[in-house]
Amino acid sequence: MSRTTNSHQLPDMDRTTPEPEVTPEAPPADTSDDIQHSTPLEEAAPAEGVAAEHAVSSESSKSAERDGAEEAIAAEEGAAGEVPAGEKAVGDAPVGEASAEEGTTASAGESEEKPAVDIDTDAASDKVSGAQEEATEEAPAEEAPAGEKKTLSGEAPAAEESKAAAKDPAVEESPAAETDPADEGDTGTDEDTSAGDGPAGPPDEPAAPGKWRDRHPVAARNVGWTVTGLSLLLICFALLMPTSAPKFTPGVFLRIPVEAVLGAAVLIVLPRRPRIAVAILSGAILGVLTVLNLLDVGFNMFLGRGFNVVLDWVLFDDAQSYLKDTMGNGGAIGAVIAVVALVLIVLVLMTLAVLRVSNVMTRNRDAASRVTLVVGTAWVTCAALGLQLSGPGIAARTTVARVEDRVNRVQATLKDEAAFAKEAKKDAFGGTPGDQLLTDLRGKDVMIAFIESYGRSAIEDEATAAGVDATLTAKNEALTKAGYSAKSGWLTSATYGGSSWLGHSTFLSGLWINNQNRYRTVTAGEHLTLTGAFKRTGAWRTVGVMPGIQKNWPEGKFYGLDNVYDSRELGYEGPKFSWSTMPDQYALSAFERLEHGKKRDKPLMSEIILTSSHQPWAPIPKMIPWDQVGDGSVYEGIEKAGKDPADVFYDSKKVKEEYGKSIQYSVNSLIDYVVKYGSKNTVLVFLGDHQPLASVSGSNASRDVPVSIVAHDKSVLDKIDDWGWTDGIKPDKTAPVWRMDSFRDRFLTAYGSTPVKR
């Protein structure tokens, strides 16, 4: 609605006027009802403890800009003007600017000129609309014109304070806030933070819900402390965790890691940004070290050694192939995804844990400093006194020592690479002519057979010894009955639990090949192998039977083999037995069909790898009549009737039992073949490539494997009488133990080869 006012010249802003004690007759303070029925130019601005403001302006009013704060015109000499009908009393500072309007007349009851009040019509309308539509919405503060002081809702400018109070007694209840003179001319806006006493908006609008922490403070506090405690435990676990499964004992974790003390001290004193950066970096590094520790646990379990950060990455490809062979393609993909997810989870959780503990220490800096000082003092005391809890010392520096060890191993590996390259070039028999090699074995069919995972534990561990010993005894009697003799001893393998090719290459090359880098170095050179010595003579045809190889194998040339029969060339049409592509009996039957049973113009030297005793030792093939082997289709029913790998491999008792049975099967297959298809010129050398993994052989098992030489011609065994080996195919506990790399030279020397260095 429009309003008419008296036409007056606006007074000078610097002029002061007397302020009579006049109480204008005004309607009561606005209510929500008033707001709903007021004109668009009326506004009830929410202000704490202050009555609603009412500003009215004529549609035709002309605004006049001024320098300085809004100033009300005092009433003349005690004249009390009446408020025009339909208008509210102004209870606080005017919202807009004061302005004069031409052509208006004073109300009948006014004895003096009454100042006209002009406000920003658009701003007033916006505020009224906001109050009607949303009670909780804050009205934006108006931008004061130049020279006008910035005010918060419910506050009057300093220059207007006394005059507003004279006009409306409600102002006395909420005195205006004083404004610093330095704020004059400030054009910024302040957010209205008042609440409660102004209009509350529509009564049916629900209040905004508070945060979960505000509604459940006790639960929030408990959750926070729980998360902090778990973060601290995770950090301590990572700093103290051992690298082999048997060492995971409670005493290992009841220690004080010095790395935690030093890390806490650093994080407490750092400013915020450097502290966050250091915490993130420390968490990531700790996560990486945790992953490496987990790899150490796995490698110690399967290979009997820690993870080599330089050489062992290539083994993951073989591990993936193993998973694919034993679990299928889907299972292998799932396992890879699980491993990748685990690595990411460890990295993220470790970083978040360090950040969490860092933030808590910063918020409680004094308490954290005291605790760090006390724990650090305890560590120094325990270290000085050498205090222990059933084993390791209480004062631990596990992570620092482990990092030092990894660095030393990396340096040693790099040095070893150069040293081994020189060693591989030296060969006692490298320059020996073919006619001076293996002269005492001429005319013999020589078989060198490796039995997968055939280790000392198969013969001596009480969980497997009974069955394996019974098989060895029975097969030794069968050999004797067929006219054969045997001698046996022990060799210490260069590998453990896996990486069979390292054992094969060590035995055949006479070099200690205990890692993949050495294997690559030697196979890329021309070092003489035992099989290569047979080839150099020109007196033997050399072949390899390798059912475990499923792709091209360029190393065959290094080993001096005329022909290699891999899994694709043996003609097998039956099912796989877990990792093993075919039963040992079938591989030997194929060897007989493809090579040994054929007429030849020279004797045969063969290298045969038997794989049925490869982990996970389920399902295991069974011996069948040799004439029923055929193309291997007969094994379909046997494989289906066998045990599930998952039911065996993860059961500590069953896995040992099935491992022993697999060794029995391989020995039966090999000895039965010799008895059936051998001749007076047959010489058999068979051995294990390495011990089975630690869950079968034990965490402290040796790397020894049995080795035997079987011959029909007793003169062959007479050549090794001075070796001190045990008669028969079961070596005695007291039989000599040699390193596997020493066998080549001993064998070549025993059978007439002449050492000639190149």
Side-chain angles (χ1 to χ4, degrees):
M1 97 187 187
S2 62
R3 173 186 175 181
T4 59
T5 60
N6 292 330
S7 173
H8 290 286
Q9 182 76 26
L10 288 172
D12 185 22
M13 297 301 295
D14 293 333
R15 188 183 64 174
T16 59
T17 58
E19 302 177 5
E21 296 291 334
V22 177
T23 303
E25 298 179 5
D30 288 353
T31 65
S32 58
D33 222 15
D34 295 326
I35 294 175
Q36 295 174 0
H37 295 85
S38 62
T39 65
L41 296 181
E42 293 176 346
E43 176 188 9
E48 186 169 298
V50 181
E53 296 179 358
H54 301 279
V56 182
S57 175
S58 173
E59 290 183 0
S60 61
S61 64
K62 298 179 180 179
S63 299
E65 296 182 356
R66 319 239 147 290
D67 297 327
E70 289 182 304
E71 185 176 84
I73 307 296
E76 295 285 343
E77 294 183 2
E82 271 180 22
V83 179
E87 292 189 13
K88 308 292 181 188
V90 179
D92 207 340
V95 177
E97 296 178 348
S99 64
E101 184 178 350
E102 304 268 354
T104 58
T105 58
S107 299
E110 292 181 350
S111 61
E112 292 289 331
E113 295 180 357
K114 185 176 182 65
V117 180
D118 187 19
I119 65 171
D120 188 338
T121 306
D122 293 336
S125 299
D126 291 341
K127 290 182 179 180
V128 172
S129 176
Q132 292 174 338
E133 294 176 357
E134 185 173 354
T136 59
E137 180 179 357
E138 295 179 351
E142 273 192 48
E143 188 170 328
E148 187 177 359
K149 295 182 181 178
K150 180 175 61 178
T151 63
L152 294 175
S153 176
E155 296 183 18
E160 190 74 11
E161 182 178 345
S162 61
K163 299 172 183 58
K167 284 183 156 305
D168 192 350
V171 176
E172 296 177 2
E173 298 178 8
S174 178
E178 295 184 1
T179 308
D180 195 305
D183 290 338
E184 289 186 11
D186 187 2
T187 59
T189 60
D190 290 341
E191 184 180 356
D192 185 4
T193 58
S194 61
D197 291 340
D204 58 345
E205 182 174 343
K211 293 182 178 180
W212 182 83
R213 291 177 177 273
D214 298 332
R215 289 183 284 113
H216 306 282
V218 176
R221 184 167 58 253
N222 292 338
V223 170
W225 281 114
T226 300
V227 172
T228 302
L230 292 176
S231 299
L232 187 59
L233 288 176
L234 182 62
I235 294 171
C236 291
F237 174 85
L239 292 173
L240 296 172
M241 70 174 294
T243 56
S244 61
K247 293 182 180 179
F248 275 80
T249 59
V252 171
F253 298 100
L254 297 177
R255 298 185 297 161
I256 304 173
V258 68
E259 301 85 0
V261 178
L262 296 176
V266 171
L267 293 174
I268 288 173
V269 301
L270 284 177
R272 182 177 180 276
R273 289 188 178 180
R275 174 180 60 80
I276 292 176
V278 170
I280 292 175
L281 180 62
S282 300
I285 292 174
L286 191 57
V288 171
L289 292 176
T290 302
V291 172
L292 292 177
N293 290 341
L294 292 173
L295 287 173
D296 278 342
V297 172
F299 270 67
N300 279 313
M301 181 180 298
F302 284 89
L303 302 180
R305 61 176 178 82
F307 176 73
N308 189 309
V309 296
V310 177
L311 304 175
D312 288 339
W313 299 105
V314 68
L315 298 181
F316 289 111
D317 181 58
D318 297 297
Q320 196 273 339
S321 298
Y322 169 74
L323 291 174
K324 184 177 180 180
D325 292 333
T326 56
M327 302 172 60
N329 190 50
I333 293 175
V336 171
I337 293 174
V339 169
V340 172
L342 176 62
V343 171
L344 294 177
I345 289 172
V346 169
L347 293 176
V348 171
L349 285 182
M350 206 60 66
T351 302
L352 293 178
V354 175
L355 273 174
R356 173 75 183 187
V357 174
S358 171
N359 292 335
V360 171
M361 289 192 303
T362 303
R363 291 196 298 268
N364 304 274
R365 196 179 299 273
D366 292 341
S369 299
R370 289 193 296 270
V371 172
T372 302
L373 180 61
V374 170
V375 175
T377 303
W379 188 93
V380 172
T381 303
C382 293
L385 299 178
L387 299 181
Q388 295 180 336
L389 282 176
S390 65
I394 296 177
R397 55 187 301 273
T398 305
T399 301
V400 172
R402 199 161 290 149
V403 170
E404 292 176 353
D405 177 64
R406 292 191 189 281
V407 172
N408 292 337
R409 277 194 284 168
V410 169
Q411 293 175 346
T413 299
L414 297 177
K415 291 180 180 179
D416 178 73
E417 182 178 356
F420 182 74
K422 295 180 180 179
E423 180 184 350
K425 293 179 180 179
K426 300 177 182 179
D427 190 348
F429 292 93
T432 303
D435 59 356
Q436 298 180 27
L437 290 170
L438 301 165
T439 55
D440 294 336
L441 287 177
R442 299 299 170 97
K444 305 296 184 183
D445 288 328
V446 180
M447 297 171 56
I448 299 176
F450 291 94
I451 297 179
E452 171 66 35
S453 300
Y454 180 31
R456 186 164 191 155
S457 60
I459 296 175
E460 296 182 351
D461 190 286
E462 53 185 39
T464 57
V468 173
D469 288 354
T471 297
L472 293 175
T473 300
K475 294 303 145 183
N476 193 70
E477 293 176 355
L479 286 170
T480 301
K481 187 176 181 180
Y484 291 91
S485 301
K487 288 184 178 292
S488 302
W490 302 103
L491 298 176
T492 301
S493 178
T495 185
Y496 174 94
S499 302
S500 301
W501 59 93
L502 301 182
H504 303 164
S505 57
T506 296
F507 179 81
L508 296 173
S509 70
L511 295 170
W512 189 252
I513 304 175
N514 60 346
N515 60 59
Q516 188 66 18
N517 193 58
R518 285 191 166 207
Y519 179 78
R520 289 176 175 175
T521 299
V522 70
T523 54
E526 297 180 352
H527 194 87
L528 183 68
T529 63
L530 190 56
T531 49
F534 281 94
K535 180 178 177 62
R536 183 181 290 185
T537 65
W540 281 274
R541 171 173 168 76
T542 58
V543 299
V545 178
M546 315 244 171
I549 295 177
Q550 304 178 50
K551 55 186 177 181
N552 294 336
W553 191 55
E555 290 92 333
K557 182 179 179 181
F558 165 75
Y559 287 109
L561 299 173
D562 294 322
N563 190 35
V564 174
Y565 295 95
D566 61 25
S567 61
R568 301 166 298 180
E569 299 172 326
L570 292 172
Y572 182 64
E573 298 296 335
K576 291 181 63 176
F577 283 76
S578 193
W579 183 88
S580 180
T581 58
M582 63 191 70
D584 292 343
Q585 187 180 9
Y586 177 86
L588 292 166
S589 176
F591 168 64
E592 178 66 21
R593 182 181 73 251
L594 296 171
E595 285 286 349
H596 188 264
K598 291 183 177 181
K599 292 183 178 181
R600 302 175 305 276
D601 57 355
K602 60 176 66 174
L604 185 67
M605 196 293 303
S606 55
E607 178 189 356
I608 302 173
I609 311 297
L610 302 179
T611 62
S612 291
S613 54
H614 195 287
Q615 64 188 30
W617 305 298
I620 300 172
K622 296 181 179 179
M623 292 296 297
I624 61 176
W626 288 91
D627 58 0
Q628 295 181 15
V629 172
D631 64 358
S633 301
V634 68
Y635 290 104
E636 289 284 353
I638 297 175
E639 189 272 338
K640 290 180 180 179
K643 296 182 179 179
D644 190 307
D647 295 336
V648 171
F649 193 71
Y650 301 104
D651 187 307
S652 59
K653 182 178 180 181
K654 289 182 179 179
V655 72
K656 287 189 175 185
E657 293 175 351
E658 298 305 308
Y659 162 72
K661 293 177 181 178
S662 72
I663 296 297
Q664 296 175 50
Y665 171 78
S666 293
V667 171
N668 279 326
S669 298
L670 181 60
I671 302 303
D672 284 359
Y673 173 82
V674 171
V675 170
K676 181 174 181 61
Y677 296 106
S679 67
K680 295 181 179 180
N681 291 322
T682 297
V683 176
L684 169 66
V685 180
F686 75 97
L687 69 154
D689 48 16
H690 55 72
Q691 282 265 57
L693 54 82
S695 62
V696 174
S697 60
S699 57
N700 297 318
S702 70
R703 297 193 176 200
D704 297 346
V705 298
V707 56
S708 303
I709 297 179
V710 179
H712 198 283
D713 185 352
K714 291 185 178 179
S715 65
V716 173
L717 298 182
D718 291 342
K719 299 290 183 181
I720 61 171
D721 273 344
D722 58 346
W723 287 8
W725 283 15
T726 305
D727 290 337
I729 59 174
K730 176 188 173 183
D732 189 76
K733 292 182 179 180
T734 60
V737 180
W738 303 334
R739 285 207 340 174
M740 190 177 277
D741 58 339
S742 67
F743 183 84
R744 187 206 70 162
D745 288 3
R746 290 177 181 270
F747 187 85
L748 291 175
T749 301
Y751 294 105
S753 303
T754 305
V756 177
K757 295 182 181 180
R758 287 190 291 184

